[in-house]
Amino acid sequence: MNKAGVRCWVLVVRKILCPTVILSSLILYPSSLLLAQHTRLYACIIGSDAPGSSMGGSSLGAGLWQSDDTAKTWRQLGWKHVKCYSVDVVNKSNGKIIFQACGNGVLRSTDAGLSWRMLTDWRITEVMDIAIDQTAPKNIYIATPAAIWKSNDGGDNWYEADSDIPYPVFVSRIIIDPKNHLKIYAAIDTAIYISNDGGLEWVNAKANAITVHDFVVDDIKRLTDVDKTGILISEDTDTVNTNGGNRSTYYHSPSLYSGANDTVQFQNGKTTNLPEVPKNIHSTIEIGEYILLFGSLDGGVWKYVYELGSTLPVRTGLDSEQVWRLKAVEVK
Amino acid sequence: MKVIPIFLFFVLFSQVNGQTPSLRRDVLYRISEKDYRPTFSCIATRLKLGMRKDLALKQLDTLLTKEYGDMFWMYSCTGLYFSTKKILPTSYKKKIRECWKKFTPYRGDTENHFLMYYSSLYLMSQEWPNLSASEWFMHCSSRELQKESEEYLNFWINKTVRYGQIEFDSPRYLYYFITPLILLAEYAKDTIMKKKSEMILEYLLVDYASQYLNGNFCGAHSRVGNDAAFDTRNAEAASYGEYFFEDSIKHLLPDIAFAALSSFKLPPIIKEIAHDRTEPYSEHAIKKSRDAIRYSTELNSSVYKNIFMTRHYSLGSIQGGLIQPIQQRSWSLTINSPQKNNIIFGLHPYVSEKELGMFFPEEPSFMLEKIDAVKNGYTSENKWVGGSPYESIRQWKNQIECSYDIPKDEKYQHVDLFLPGWGTFLSVDSMEKKMIRIQYDSCVVTIVPKTAFILQNKNDNFRLRLSLDSGKTSYFLACDTYDGFNEFDDEKSFCGKIDVPEGKRKEEWLFQSKFIESKLGSGILKIKNGTNERILDFNSITIR
């Protein structure tokens, strides 16, 4: 075929076939428009609400679940039975490279959850959290009940990265500062520790240690820690004032946007009064504008849509599953 | 029609050297004939004996269809596969292979869980040695799985035989150690792993034998279930006690089939130790606490265990404190009697999210809210199992002193003792003297509470409830035979007695008694009875 012929076929494909296929697809499968660019939700399940499914036991529903339609429907990804405490995704992989922090160790998928490989051995168990350095995704940190571990090769090998943190080292969360990938925050059971060099050295950010259940670092670099009595905010991300701040006792677990005076502040700056949420909320995330999702250990993901005269949160799937953590990722 | 199966039995087992053939035959036939719920062990027995084979295969289909999700499934499936390997139809072997590719079992979070998980993975990766990663549920190759399993098993064996077991002396969980070790000892191809497995099996069984009294598992326990709280003859370990130490089995557990299908035979010296109660003896041992992941300054603290054994009774204890969640038994006095409920014990009913948070990674307050659905009765003020951080125990032979210092903000402000109802109270006025004296068969038990108490009759047994005085209480307890009983002179007879092996520091001995001796960290266990000796040397992996 000569060049003119090739050009002709290219024009046919570009001008006629492609639009036809796309138009047909949208008529037949309107959801494909939605799926083109959307928020993918992950729910980490540690067991069902049936007796015996947690604390040494497990259940069929334990593991990682995914929703591509704003929590309307959910499907389980890969492993069943194994408690999933946390998940992280390599941002540049468009949802393909996923890491799960599990009871059995760390699982990695490179095909968007179709298959999973166990990366850790008997030395690492009950992985409570995982954080991928998105600027250098081979660098991964995990939190366990006995140590912080780090991998420099995408999870194939691990070494302990907490040498200067005194025992006990029950680490419930590990977070990378969104503005500085070498700054790592670890929620230890007795304090928050901060590393400024990618985990080589750690300093105790709190002189007066309290039990830290969870914490977050927001876009304006406020460090927020949460314990049983509520939420405390640090404005400089290096120290947490244990004597000051207003502790909200409303959320058992953190909502970054929950603060003093019983209000919720959304990413867009709008605020609303705190909704009446179910008991044993363990995870809270905001998606889109005015939507909060809660993960409950009593079972289910709950959705709260803030509008004037809004109603109470409603359950939106995974009704009988204990939701430990929720995560939202943008995918195409 | 039983002629052929019996003939087959002799053909199958006459060449192997297990427990006595008659005992094994009895166990297997009874398991095969009884209508248990389908288990891999029952199915393996029926297939092996050629009895009810159609039913067995139908049940196997069911078990392989439903996706089971933990290490309990793994070890029992492994047991079936290996024990029936020569006769299992190829189609079923393929189904089992598929399960190990598709099922994704939970590894669990305790010592027994990990042993079941890795012993199963070890044997299955040995069976299918050259498979690629995509053929296994973990997406690791056979070689990788074999290496990891071997590493863990070596780690666990080395640590246990040198520094002590974590889930020690459990009337329930002992069987989750014995069964996977029997499978390893029987089916591991590697001669060193096989030998090590046999040796640690002997190690666990001699530990059991020295605390065995006519079917009872005496002393303190890392974990005991509610069913066996008042009588350890109801527990799973009793089945193995009968299988290894007696000549008949009353308490038939289906999984004991894996032992009966194996060639493992207990050395006679261990069986002798289980029965030789001619002279009283003390045994001191070191164990380890479960990993304390929160609220502790030490991951695995040492647990010092004492037991005083006679042919009439046995008194055993640990030093107190919280060393295992929910099911700990810190001390007990077992009476050697055919009567049901033959154990006397005491506890502070400690209920706290801190206990759960210390040993489980989930959210402590949430666990406390849900715990009763998992472990029934945990939050009850009347519970009969569990340890307390406020308990401190000293034992000297047949006497024990338990002290409690309980903060005001703790939920329950009392201490309970369980007293079996079939005893005879020897004197009415003993209450006024704050001394309770009860005769159980040939034994007299004296209890001296140091604070006010009430005696409640509950379901034909007694609960002795001590109240606190400024947050504190304590009691003394002694046991002796009626003939040899001397007036128990309160704490005067106790104080000053040193709770250590004679002439030895307890911190230096993993085991010290007339039957077992092992220096901490040595890896050498000497089993002895009179002039007979058997030495398990885990350094050279030899038995002398």
Side-chain angles (χ1 to χ4, degrees), chain A residues 51 55 79-81 83 104 116-118 121-124 126 167-168 170 213 228 279-280 298, chain B residues 67 69 104-107 137-139 144 148 151 292-294 296 299 353 362-363 366 369-370 373:
Chain A
M55 291 176 63
W79 284 42
K80 301 175 177 75
H81 297 290
K83 295 176 190 178
N104 283 28
W116 296 87
R117 176 176 162 85
M118 178 56 64
D121 66 11
W122 59 273
R123 293 170 188 83
I124 295 176
E126 306 297 326
Y167 187 83
F170 184 97
H213 285 198
K228 197 174 177 180
K279 227 164 52 117
N280 285 316
D298 275 343
Chain B
E67 184 166 347
T104 51
Y106 178 50
R107 185 173 56 180
F137 69 96
M138 289 167 76
H139 276 241
E144 288 172 311
E148 182 183 346
E151 272 183 15
I293 55 178
R294 293 187 183 98
S296 175
L299 188 65
E353 62 184 52
E362 288 96 336
E363 168 59 40
F366 176 73
E369 196 179 298
K370 301 287 182 186

Side-chain angles (χ1 to χ4, degrees), chain B residues 254-403:
Chain B
D255 272 9
I256 206 159
F258 290 132
L261 286 167
S262 82
S263 60
F264 178 77
K265 189 175 181 183
L266 190 74
I269 190 172
I270 298 179
K271 189 172 178 179
E272 288 162 21
I273 287 171
H275 290 283
D276 183 355
R277 301 292 175 262
T278 48
E279 295 293 329
Y281 63 90
S282 292
E283 182 171 286
H284 303 265
I286 295 178
K287 309 292 182 181
K288 285 287 179 187
S289 71
R290 178 162 161 159
D291 288 1
I293 55 178
R294 293 187 183 98
Y295 317 128
S296 175
T297 53
E298 198 178 356
L299 188 65
N300 294 123
S301 56
S302 290
V303 179
Y304 297 99
K305 198 164 181 285
N306 284 349
I307 193 158
F308 181 71
M309 179 70 75
T310 76
R311 64 195 167 98
H312 299 287
Y313 67 90
S314 175
L315 178 64
S317 65
I318 59 169
Q319 75 269 35
L322 207 52
I323 55 109
Q324 277 278 349
I326 304 166
Q327 296 174 304
Q328 182 178 324
R329 166 66 47 84
S330 300
W331 74 267
S332 76
L333 168 65
T334 305
I335 309 292
N336 185 6
S337 166
Q339 294 276 1
K340 286 181 182 172
N341 297 346
N342 59 338
I343 310 175
I344 295 155
F345 57 89
L347 81 169
H348 164 231
Y350 178 61
V351 173
S352 168
E353 62 184 52
K354 201 171 173 182
E355 174 179 4
L356 305 176
M358 184 183 279
F359 300 109
F360 299 101
E362 288 96 336
E363 168 59 40
S365 59
F366 176 73
M367 286 190 283
L368 184 61
E369 196 179 298
K370 301 287 182 186
I371 182 67
D372 276 326
V374 185
K375 299 288 183 192
N376 186 25
Y378 171 77
T379 57
S380 168
E381 65 175 310
N382 297 321
K383 67 179 180 176
W384 285 122
V385 294
S388 169
Y390 310 117
E391 183 176 59
S392 160
I393 300 170
R394 290 192 306 151
Q395 181 182 348
W396 190 78
K397 292 192 174 178
N398 63 335
Q399 301 172 26
I400 196 169
E401 177 198 44
C402 303
S403 307

Side-chain angles (χ1 to χ4, degrees), chain B residues 322-521:
Chain B
L322 207 52
I323 55 109
Q324 277 278 349
I326 304 166
Q327 296 174 304
Q328 182 178 324
R329 166 66 47 84
S330 300
W331 74 267
S332 76
L333 168 65
T334 305
I335 309 292
N336 185 6
S337 166
Q339 294 276 1
K340 286 181 182 172
N341 297 346
N342 59 338
I343 310 175
I344 295 155
F345 57 89
L347 81 169
H348 164 231
Y350 178 61
V351 173
S352 168
E353 62 184 52
K354 201 171 173 182
E355 174 179 4
L356 305 176
M358 184 183 279
F359 300 109
F360 299 101
E362 288 96 336
E363 168 59 40
S365 59
F366 176 73
M367 286 190 283
L368 184 61
E369 196 179 298
K370 301 287 182 186
I371 182 67
D372 276 326
V374 185
K375 299 288 183 192
N376 186 25
Y378 171 77
T379 57
S380 168
E381 65 175 310
N382 297 321
K383 67 179 180 176
W384 285 122
V385 294
S388 169
Y390 310 117
E391 183 176 59
S392 160
I393 300 170
R394 290 192 306 151
Q395 181 182 348
W396 190 78
K397 292 192 174 178
N398 63 335
Q399 301 172 26
I400 196 169
E401 177 198 44
C402 303
S403 307
Y404 302 83
D405 189 352
I406 301 168
K408 277 184 184 171
D409 56 355
E410 280 306 327
K411 188 170 184 183
Y412 297 130
Q413 297 282 311
H414 63 265
V415 167
D416 284 340
L417 277 88
F418 175 81
L419 307 175
W422 53 272
T424 306
F425 282 78
L426 290 180
S427 57
V428 179
D429 65 350
S430 62
M431 304 279 187
E432 291 163 15
K433 292 180 183 174
K434 286 200 171 181
M435 183 181 287
I436 297 167
R437 189 164 289 153
I438 316 167
Q439 183 174 353
Y440 292 102
D441 285 355
S442 60
C443 300
V444 175
V445 179
T446 303
I447 304 164
V448 184
K450 305 303 282 185
T451 55
F453 63 90
I454 53 169
L455 197 59
Q456 304 166 328
N457 191 333
K458 295 278 180 189
N459 302 323
D460 298 329
N461 296 304
F462 290 99
R463 177 191 299 279
L464 180 67
R465 176 159 291 180
L466 279 65
S467 51
L468 306 182
D469 183 358
S470 302
K472 294 181 182 178
T473 189
S474 64
Y475 53 83
F476 293 91
L477 179 144
C479 185
D480 210 338
T481 53
Y482 190 80
D483 291 342
F485 181 73
N486 293 314
E487 189 73 12
F488 180 63
D489 191 16
D490 211 336
E491 68 267 42
K492 284 178 191 167
S493 65
F494 189 91
C495 288
K497 301 284 172 57
I498 301 169
D499 173 27
V500 291
E502 202 172 334
K504 292 173 176 173
R505 292 184 64 234
K506 68 176 181 182
E507 292 83 1
E508 294 176 352
W509 292 88
L510 191 64
F511 285 99
Q512 207 285 321
S513 76
K514 72 172 191 173
F515 291 134
I516 320 175
E517 203 168 87
S518 176
K519 205 158 189 188
L520 191 71

